[in-house]
Amino acid sequence: MHETEILLAVVVATLRAATPLMIAGFGELIAERSGVLNLGVEGMMLMGASVGFIGTVATGSPILGFVAAMLAGAALALVFGVLTLSLMANQVATGLALTIFGVGFSALVGVGWIGTPLQGIATDIWPGLSKASPMVQQLMLLDPVVWLAILLPFIAQRFIYRTRAGLILRAVGESHDVAHALGYSVLRIRYLAVLFGGAMSGLAGAYLSLAYTPMWSDNMVAGRGWIALALVVFSTWKPLWLAIGSLLFGFVTIAQFQAEALGLDVSPHLLAMLPYLATIVVLVLISRDATRLKLNAPAALGRPFHATA
Amino acid sequence: MDARSLTPRLRLSGITKRYAATLANSDISLSIAPGEIHALLGENGAGKSTLVKIIYGVVRPDAGAIAWEGAPVEIADPNAARRLGVGMVFQHFSLFESLTVAENIALGLGASETIAELTVRIEEIARRYGLAVEPTRHVHHLSVGERQRVEIVRCLLQSPRLLIMDEPTSVLTPQEAEGLFDVLRRLSDEGCSVLYISHKLEEIKALCEHATVLRAGRVVGECDPRVSTEQQMAELMIGGALPTAHRAAPLREGRPCLEVARLTLMSDEPFGTHLRDISFTLRDGEILGIAGVAGNGQKELLAALSGERRAPTAEAVRIGGVAAGLLGPAARRRLHQSFIPEERLGRGAVAEFPLRENALLTVYQAGFVRGGLIRFASVARYARDIITRFNVKAAGIDAAGSSLSGGNMQKFIVGREIGTNPRVLLAAHPTWGVDIGAAIAIRQALMDLAAAGSGVLVVSEDLAELFEISDYIAVLSGGRLSAPKRTHETTVEEVGLLMGGKMEAGAGPAVADAA
């Protein structure tokens, strides 16, 4: 009985740690499949985290908080879209600038909210949580956002490979010139993909500040945006691999906490590195095959589109 | 019925389109009858592509009117064109490499069908017109000819009433081209009009009923290609008498200058072709033509010969007797090998650099640099010499590479590579996209170089060109090279069969193709 409890706790904790990566990563995957490389994920997540937190505390409704966070992420993505798609600025430089902007702006917005207490959304949704048995308590930690993250890879797989919209998305990312010649509106599709990516980043950030560690502090995303970006590339733009990478990261994060709790005689800083390191190493090994990487990479990734006509 | 057939399917009147300083189309009028196969003839830059883009709704004209079956129309975008019944097969295929045939076709059609339903229709159309197409294959596995069939099937699925073909045979073997003509004639019999764009006159004579000739954006003449001679049409196109190239010196057996022995090299590109067991010898004073449809290993072979990719062993490639397989491009140039790459800007020359600096790029070893410093005066003289000798149309040696037309840039690059009297010259598609006048000048330059004792290797898709200038012809197909044959001992048909991948096993020069 006790072992099942521990196992359940590990599974739940892993899923929760993987959720922000899964959601932000999937948003970025869609944007990149359309041929746009947005390196601003970290910044958009931070905006989502601060705006989501403030929105929830101010309105008392986590749902409004999440919506506000998605809008904030999408707003930042819109800035990116205008700069890179309409004005054809360099995507890499603009994305980096977006992250720097997001780090600073989220800190500015959230400056009065550091240390404000907030109950986790799980407690909000299930009022009887604290009285339930430990097993049920664990299960109830799986809030709707986690369930969304669990379903996401399968939805994404179906969307990308089985629907017409997914086919058009892949086509635009493969060759914008051909898509344009066939009469598809490359810019409109890319704007939609980038905005969707921003909204998902905002949602992922808000999950961190509303559910994972219910509080706001500066730079609390702590590089997860970058990991999400790396996961997209190493997963060779495939949703199921992205899910596996996210779960791996989540699992090593939990293992690291356990190791610290057990009082392992290793520097906590080294342990804190572990999830990032392990994820990157494993994914590099997975995506070692250069041909496969080239085959699956959206061929037009990062290239500005200009309709020559 | 008569009244209907008198109404042209498409009538253009006074179409004008201006880009910045150039008038791409000026007051162009033409009309195409139902079921007619109409040729649009012209040199590169004559305005054919612009006109076709206007018809297909990719480009909006500045002035002029379009009438479709008698009614005036505005074609706002390709979707509008397709709704009218205009189908187009592009010169550079508009296919997505990583998608399947059916997915590619679905992207070009309306949204109502599932892939499964579409697959059935594709197979049906393919059977009806004898176009071999497999809906579930990925496009990157397909040969160029197969890709074109996919494009045609995509058009046919929309039951077009006007089919535009933009230089369709430039990538086909002669046999594949024949097959295409059969399909087009059949479409024409069924009442579909065809607008056929090409500069290959023999094809137009064989296929078309009517031709409109463009030069510098204007209609300069119309003719019936079945009646007019190729000479007449060519002179209409270039607006003057046709110069001819000729071989100056008789052939003599020279010493080997480039030897390739059992070269096998895996491609490092995902859709590349592996080179398999390639052997040939090029001798001083010879021109060896390598025929083949693009994508059969030409790029890989040229990279292996130029030194961009190293051979597995030093002995696999010998230049002037020196084992050079492991040497890089600069070292091979020091052995007096020159290289004219396929892409003019980007590999042959730097677009942003002025011509004088472009002149220096590959020949700096020929005494243009002393003590680490560039001798600008002699470089400038060299660049000026190229411009005069090859009649390059440019605004002087300070004009940027990108300001030249493709043909003029190519003449400049050919001049630069020939100017140092290389022992071996590798030329990749030397006249691709170059107009007739410049092409003749380039061919003449290659022949003169060979006559002066150099070995020249020409990779080209243009069989007529290879038969004109080469002493030997070999065919590259699927990464394998056929044994070089004397040009006068082989025929276009035989080479065409080899291009299609039919390597005769063990058959020597005894292939009696009396035809």
Side-chain angles (χ1 to χ4, degrees):
Chain A
M1 192 65 213
H2 187 64
E3 276 145 22
T4 2
E5 245 170 68
I6 291 177
L7 188 66
L8 185 68
V10 168
V11 169
V12 167
T14 299
L15 282 171
R16 279 164 52 86
T19 293
L21 294 177
M22 214 106 96
I23 292 176
F26 175 63
E28 178 67 13
L29 188 143
I30 292 293
E32 290 193 14
R33 279 280 186 162
S34 83
V36 185
L37 178 68
N38 185 354
L39 294 182
V41 177
E42 178 88 1
M44 298 188 296
M45 284 178 79
L46 274 164
M47 280 311 290
S50 72
V51 170
F53 184 85
I54 295 166
T56 306
V57 174
T59 63
S61 155
I63 292 178
L64 286 179
F66 276 119
V67 171
M70 289 174 77
L71 288 177
L76 225 57
L78 180 65
V79 173
F80 177 83
V82 170
L83 289 173
T84 59
L85 299 178
S86 298
L87 303 176
M88 285 180 281
N90 180 296
Q91 293 180 5
V92 171
T94 312
L96 289 173
L98 197 71
T99 283
I100 296 168
F101 175 76
V103 170
F105 196 60
S106 64
L108 179 71
V109 169
V111 76
W113 304 82
I114 296 173
T116 309
L118 178 75
Q119 283 198 310
I121 51 168
T123 338
D124 256 28
I125 297 168
W126 323 105
L129 183 62
S130 51
K131 293 182 216 97
S133 75
M135 288 282 278
V136 177
Q137 272 195 22
Q138 280 295 336
L139 278 178
M140 290 197 167
L141 279 172
L142 296 178
D143 52 67
V145 183
V146 178
W147 285 110
L148 175 70
I150 294 170
L151 290 177
L152 213 43
F154 304 101
I155 300 172
Q157 186 79 9
R158 217 178 150 68
F159 170 75
I160 292 174
Y161 294 105
R162 288 280 171 269
T163 68
R164 188 173 178 85
L167 179 60
I168 293 171
L169 181 79
R170 282 187 285 150
V172 170
E174 160 94 17
S175 167
H176 44 223
D177 294 322
V178 175
H180 176 71
L182 287 178
Y184 290 100
S185 170
V186 173
L187 285 189
R188 201 181 52 148
I189 292 159
R190 289 199 168 157
Y191 261 109
L192 286 175
V194 167
L195 287 177
F196 177 78
M200 293 306 262
S201 282
L203 177 63
Y207 176 78
L208 287 170
S209 68
L210 295 180
Y212 193 66
T213 50
M215 54 140 196
W216 163 250
S217 68
D218 284 2
N219 221 349
M220 66 177 295
V221 173
R224 286 185 185 83
W226 294 111
I227 287 289
L229 268 168
L231 285 174
V232 173
V233 177
F234 292 131
S235 68
T236 58
W237 295 270
K238 290 183 168 156
L240 295 181
W241 281 108
L242 178 70
I244 291 170
S246 307
L247 289 172
L248 180 74
F249 179 87
F251 178 73
V252 182
T253 309
I254 302 313
Q256 162 224 336
F257 286 145
Q258 293 302 323
E260 268 179 75
L262 288 174
L264 229 61
D265 190 22
V266 181
S267 157
H269 298 296
L270 279 181
L271 285 177
M273 272 170 50
L274 212 56
Y276 301 88
L277 204 64
T279 310
I280 297 292
V281 168
V282 170
L283 287 171
V284 166
L285 291 179
I286 289 174
S287 64
R288 218 171 12 165
D289 185 354
T291 317
R292 207 176 72 121
L293 200 63
K294 275 192 193 167
L295 258 176
N296 287 303
L301 186 62
R303 287 188 12 231
F305 171 69
H306 176 61
T308 47
Chain B
M1 188 205 158
D2 271 10
R4 223 183 63 205
S5 60
L6 286 176
T7 313
R9 174 88 11 109
L10 176 80
R11 186 203 292 279
L12 306 177
S13 29
I15 297 288
T16 299
K17 175 76 190 174
R18 176 181 287 283
Y19 288 117
T22 52
L23 204 54
N25 282 173
S26 171
D27 194 25
I28 290 183
S29 300
L30 64 84
S31 78
I32 305 172
E36 180 184 59
I37 305 185
H38 190 117
L40 193 56
L41 262 171
E43 298 260 90
N44 290 299
K48 291 172 299 184
S49 299
T50 306
L51 187 66
V52 165
K53 282 181 184 164
I54 288 171
I55 299 173
Y56 198 58
V58 181
V59 175
R60 306 293 299 271
D62 298 333
I66 303 174
W68 178 259
E69 302 194 323
V73 286
E74 290 254 343
I75 304 176
D77 55 48
N79 286 324
R82 281 196 290 266
R83 275 195 300 276
L84 285 176
V86 182
M88 171 144 180
V89 176
F90 292 88
Q91 183 182 3
H92 304 287
F93 299 141
S94 52
L95 295 175
F96 301 97
E97 301 255 319
S98 65
L99 306 182
T100 65
V101 169
E103 284 175 331
N104 263 289
I105 292 177
L107 281 165
L109 300 178
S112 53
E113 271 173 303
T114 65
I115 297 282
E117 287 164 3
L118 189 60
T119 303
V120 176
R121 280 220 295 147
I122 293 170
E123 281 166 347
E124 196 183 293
I125 284 271
R127 232 186 349 261
R128 205 170 118 205
Y129 290 95
L131 293 155
V133 161
E134 288 172 61
T136 53
R137 290 187 70 193
H138 280 88
V139 168
H140 60 80
H141 291 308
L142 304 184
S143 75
V144 189
E146 289 172 302
R147 286 173 198 218
Q148 187 178 58
R149 291 202 286 273
V150 175
E151 291 251 0
I152 295 172
V153 167
R154 174 160 73 188
C155 285
L156 295 185
L157 278 168
Q158 300 167 81
S159 332
R161 282 180 290 171
L162 170 65
L163 186 63
I164 305 172
M165 306 285 298
D166 192 357
E167 310 241 349
T169 57
S170 57
V171 292
L172 300 184
T173 65
Q175 285 83 359
E176 282 177 317
E178 241 344 286
L180 172 68
F181 294 165
D182 287 341
V183 173
L184 293 181
R185 287 194 193 103
R186 176 139 184 212
L187 280 168
S188 153
D189 291 343
E190 292 174 6
C192 176
S193 308
V194 177
L195 182 59
Y196 189 90
I197 297 141
S198 181
H199 57 242
K200 292 192 184 166
L201 299 166
E202 68 275 27
E203 283 177 3
I204 284 170
K205 274 189 80 67
L207 185 69
C208 303
E209 301 151 34
H210 194 99
T212 300
V213 186
L214 298 186
R215 187 170 71 236
R218 290 170 192 281
V219 176
V220 291
E222 291 192 40
C223 61
D224 185 338
R226 292 166 300 189
V227 180
S228 306
T229 65
E230 291 185 21
Q231 181 83 12
Q232 286 166 330
M233 289 193 283
E235 287 178 0
L236 260 181
M237 266 164 76
I238 63 172
L242 198 62
T244 49
H246 52 86
R247 211 48 221 268
L251 191 72
R252 62 202 175 281
E253 184 91 335
R255 285 182 302 140
C257 55
L258 176 66
E259 296 154 277
V260 174
R262 313 202 66 104
L263 173 68
T264 294
L265 197 60
M266 295 294 121
S267 174
D268 54 356
E269 287 288 315
F271 308 130
T273 309
H274 306 308
L275 298 179
R276 298 186 193 280
D277 200 19
I278 288 187
S279 301
F280 66 85
T281 301
L282 176 68
R283 293 170 184 277
D284 290 337
E286 266 176 25
I287 299 183
L288 169 63
I290 296 193
V293 178
N296 275 287
Q298 284 91 340
K299 248 192 319 189
E300 290 79 4
L301 177 63
L302 286 162
L305 294 180
S306 72
E308 282 160 76
R309 288 206 62 206
R310 313 287 196 273
T313 62
E315 286 73 31
V317 180
R318 286 177 180 275
I319 300 171
V322 180
L326 301 177
L327 300 179
R332 292 193 197 188
R333 280 183 179 276
R334 274 195 287 276
L335 297 172
H336 303 288
Q337 170 177 282
S338 277
F339 176 40
I340 302 168
E342 184 178 357
E343 304 97 344
R344 271 139 231 179
L345 296 177
R347 273 178 77 208
V350 180
E352 296 81 14
F353 280 14
L355 291 182
R356 64 158 87 221
E357 290 179 6
N358 270 311
L360 180 69
L361 279 181
T362 60
V363 296
Y364 61 92
Q365 293 164 343
F368 290 107
V369 177
R370 183 166 294 167
L373 297 176
I374 297 168
R375 297 166 64 203
F376 281 106
S378 39
V379 173
R381 205 177 317 121
Y382 187 63
R384 238 176 259 120
D385 284 351
I386 300 171
I387 291 176
T388 349
R389 186 173 156 209
F390 284 89
N391 191 21
V392 178
K393 290 195 191 83
I397 56 170
D398 289 313
S402 55
S403 69
L404 272 66
S405 76
N408 279 302
M409 195 65 229
Q410 184 71 349
K411 285 198 278 188
F412 186 82
I413 292 171
V414 169
R416 178 185 70 192
E417 299 301 333
I418 288 179
T420 54
N421 273 321
R423 172 111 189 254
V424 179
L425 177 72
L426 311 173
H429 309 281
T431 61
W432 184 82
V434 170
D435 55 38
I436 295 184
I440 289 170
I442 289 170
R443 284 180 206 136
Q444 186 65 58
L446 296 180
M447 289 191 276
D448 291 348
L449 185 72
S454 306
V456 179
L457 180 133
V458 180
V459 174
S460 177
E461 291 179 58
D462 186 342
L463 282 186
E465 168 173 281
L466 292 179
F467 273 89
E468 182 189 335
I469 67 173
S470 309
D471 302 307
Y472 290 89
I473 291 188
V475 176
L476 195 58
S477 170
R480 292 175 195 278
L481 190 71
S482 69
K485 284 194 177 174
R486 286 245 177 216
T487 305
H488 56 81
E489 286 168 4
T490 183
T491 61
V492 173
E493 288 72 31
E494 192 187 348
V495 170
L497 286 175
L498 288 169
M499 283 163 75
K502 295 186 182 58
M503 294 270 172
E504 71 273 59
V511 178
D513 204 340

